[in-house]
Amino acid sequence: MIGVYYFEKKDWKKSLCCYFKALYARSLKLGQDSMGASDCHYNIAIVYKKLRIPDKSLYHFDKALRIRTLNKGAVSLTVSNVLEQLGKLFIETSQYKEAQEYLNQCLQIRKRLLFPDK
């Protein structure tokens, strides 16, 4: 929660530090492949995105995506949220083909969740 506080204050470095501490604690207590660890990777990726460090952001989004897919399955809202953020990251780095792929995957998951009969 302290990381969220600093994030809302736009103090990215303090927020990042808190999220790394939370990742360490959750990984020890819940496991490296827990949803708690995934949430930390997701938040770390968002902060790196704000700091305009795309390679580190991508690394943590990938970790979050792998863990969420493992725990929730490929068709879940938590997975689609990571895919959306990956798409936005690739737009910011002018990699439009990659952005389209991630955003399309996100859209397909959300369509399946909203309209399961189709």
Side-chain angles (χ1 to χ4, degrees):
M1 293 308 298
I2 296 170
V4 173
Y5 169 79
Y6 285 122
F7 185 87
E8 289 176 357
K9 296 287 184 184
K10 296 184 171 85
D11 191 336
W12 310 127
K13 291 183 181 180
K14 285 184 182 176
S15 178
L16 190 61
C17 183
C18 291
Y19 289 142
F20 270 112
K21 287 180 181 179
L23 174 61
Y24 177 76
R26 289 179 180 186
S27 293
L28 282 179
K29 187 170 185 168
L30 304 172
Q32 292 180 349
D33 289 335
S34 68
M35 286 301 290
S38 171
D39 292 341
C40 292
H41 282 293
Y42 181 84
N43 290 334
I44 290 166
I46 295 289
V47 175
Y48 276 132
K49 190 172 142 210
K50 293 282 188 188
L51 290 169
R52 298 189 190 284
I53 306 174
D55 54 332
K56 290 186 178 184
S57 182
L58 179 60
Y59 173 81
H60 288 281
F61 277 136
D62 283 342
K63 294 280 269 190
L65 182 61
R66 184 188 62 76
I67 294 168
R68 289 176 182 201
T69 302
L70 179 70
N71 284 284
K72 298 291 183 178
V75 181
S76 68
L77 186 57
T78 60
V79 168
S80 73
N81 290 340
V82 177
L83 293 169
E84 178 183 5
Q85 290 300 322
L86 280 164
K88 290 177 180 180
L89 176 65
F90 281 111
I91 287 172
E92 290 176 12
T93 58
S94 302
Q95 297 176 63
Y96 302 113
K97 183 177 179 185
E98 292 85 351
Q100 182 181 14
E101 290 173 17
Y102 283 111
L103 292 172
N104 189 46
Q105 289 177 44
C106 173
L107 176 62
Q108 296 309 313
I109 290 171
R110 290 181 181 176
K111 282 171 131 177
R112 286 182 63 186
L113 292 171
L114 287 170
F115 309 107
D117 296 335
K118 290 186 177 184

